[in-house]
Amino acid sequence: MKVLLYFEKQNVIKQSGIGRALVHQKKALESAGIEYTLNPNDDYDIAHINTLFSDSYRVLKKCKKKGIPVIVHGHSTVEDFRNSFRLWTIAKIPFYHYMFKMYKNADYIITPTPYSKSLIESYDGVNCKVYDISNGIDLNDYSYDQNAVDKFKEHFNIKTKHVIIGVGLFFERKGIIDFFKCAENFPDVTFIWFGHLNKLITQIKINKAIRHRPKNVIMPGYISGDIIKGAFHSADLLFFPSYEETEGIVVLEALASKLPVLVRDIGVYKPWLKDGISCYMGKNNDDFINKIDYILNNDNSEIINNGYEAVKQRAISNVGQELKKVYTEIMQKKDSN
């Protein structure tokens, strides 16, 4: 059995969660001993398409014409495209067009969570089977690394006792404005938001909020490697007040790094994360402010340990076995027809 992992415009998406999903899928298939190719012109038994652009649709149609089963990965939903970048209401027209074409013509859909599964299943014209399988996390990549911690501390030269981090593109739905508003209440804490988006496509109100952000908020742009890894191991908290996610890979990364997590109480985290047990959740900024104060002044070791146990279920090796099970089921159905 050989699988095509197809990601269109890899250079464009490499800094996004979908871009990281490619890395995770490759590792997952390798861990399960599944042969794969990234080249749509190779021979393969199943096509697993992860993007929703025009070339992706052409690959889908080509595969269906050849009788090759097509899985479309549901990384995106109507809900998580809202309030993203400038002119999103115009950009949604072609985006939704291709998204629905891909989902409606797929033989199968895989999406990261039960929440995103329920959304995709509710869309008109989606009649195929939908599986929920996490994007996964390589726990070994997030084990403690003192060298990375040293590089983070050297890079930022932080003088405050506490550090809180956020990670994401400059989308309104990521909760970046709420991140700033909450930071105002903790002037003696350093807040760092890792991420980037070209100013020309960032919403005007987000650009304005960034210009007028509190003095204790650092915005270093997109940073990868040891420095961001060191941030996960040095910070007191990942504060990620996103309004909508299909999974939220940054949350998995924080839990794998044994960093406490404070997120908005939204459907995507149900049922695998629980407030006050494996993470902290809030519904609004008042909740967030109260919980930040609590987190900075109390022992979080039990929450951290429970969070790590929760994310272990999404380890790459487990994801590989889940994908193998789905691929095998698809091949058996194909062979029986």
Side-chain angles (χ1 to χ4, degrees), residues 60-310:
L60 180 149
K61 296 300 287 184
K62 177 182 175 182
C63 290
K64 289 181 75 74
K65 189 175 181 180
K66 291 183 174 182
I68 298 171
V70 175
I71 301 168
V72 172
H73 209 105
H75 294 290
S76 300
T77 64
V78 170
E79 290 73 12
D80 78 357
F81 193 75
R82 293 173 182 155
N83 291 318
S84 48
F85 45 83
R86 192 182 301 193
L87 302 178
W88 74 269
T89 54
I90 296 173
K92 74 177 183 181
I93 297 171
F95 179 79
Y96 288 171
H97 170 73
Y98 275 107
M99 183 179 74
F100 286 122
K101 280 182 75 171
M102 294 293 291
Y103 290 169
K104 289 177 182 179
N105 285 281
D107 296 308
Y108 307 90
I109 295 174
I110 293 176
T111 191
T113 56
Y115 171 73
S116 55
K117 177 178 185 287
S118 68
L119 293 178
I120 292 172
E121 287 177 331
S122 73
Y123 298 157
D124 289 341
V126 176
N127 300 309
C128 65
K129 187 168 184 179
V130 183
Y131 301 87
D132 61 277
I133 300 176
S134 170
N135 285 314
I137 190 80
D138 188 339
L139 297 175
N140 293 328
D141 283 349
Y142 296 90
S143 57
Y144 187 83
D145 185 337
Q146 184 62 50
N147 181 59
V149 170
D150 292 342
K151 286 185 177 181
F152 166 75
K153 291 181 176 180
E154 180 182 354
H155 184 83
F156 287 100
N157 191 28
I158 293 168
K159 304 297 184 184
T160 59
K161 180 181 179 182
H162 296 295
V163 176
I164 293 174
I165 64 171
V167 183
L169 298 173
F170 297 164
F171 292 166
E172 182 180 4
R173 73 166 174 86
K174 291 290 185 181
I176 189 169
I177 292 177
D178 296 302
F179 187 88
F180 294 158
K181 288 181 178 178
C182 291
E184 290 177 351
N185 291 268
F186 299 92
D188 296 328
V189 176
T190 297
F191 286 70
I192 307 175
W193 184 280
F194 293 94
H196 175 74
L197 191 66
N198 190 297
K199 286 184 179 180
L200 295 177
I201 59 174
T202 302
Q203 290 174 295
I204 293 172
K205 60 182 166 183
I206 300 298
N207 280 328
K208 182 179 179 181
I210 291 171
R211 288 196 304 271
H212 297 286
R213 69 185 184 274
K215 293 180 179 179
N216 60 324
V217 177
I218 299 171
M219 302 193 72
Y222 176 80
I223 294 181
S224 61
D226 283 345
I227 292 175
I228 185 68
K229 184 176 182 179
F232 278 113
H233 288 128
S234 299
D236 297 274
L237 172 69
L238 170 75
F239 175 31
F240 187 60
S242 178
Y243 287 83
E244 187 69 31
E245 296 291 325
T246 54
E247 181 167 39
I249 287 181
V250 63
V251 174
L252 274 64
E253 291 174 326
L255 294 171
S257 303
K258 299 186 177 180
L259 175 65
V261 170
L262 172 59
V263 295
R264 193 176 302 277
D265 187 359
I266 55 178
V268 71
Y269 303 120
K270 296 179 175 60
W272 76 283
L273 288 180
K274 293 180 173 59
D275 181 31
I277 297 176
S278 51
C279 73
Y280 297 97
M281 294 183 179
K283 296 182 182 298
N284 51 49
N285 287 348
D286 287 340
D287 282 352
F288 293 143
I289 291 165
N290 289 333
K291 295 206 172 186
I292 289 171
D293 184 66
Y294 175 87
I295 292 162
L296 295 181
N297 292 287
N298 286 275
D299 179 14
N300 300 287
S301 56
E302 185 174 352
I303 294 279
I304 290 170
N305 291 334
N306 291 339
Y308 188 75
E309 289 301 312

Side-chain angles (χ1 to χ4, degrees), residues 41-56:
N41 296 316
D42 280 350
D43 293 325
Y44 43 86
D45 302 295
I46 297 171
H48 187 162
I49 302 175
N50 281 265
T51 41
L52 306 173
F53 308 119
S54 58
D55 285 349
S56 301

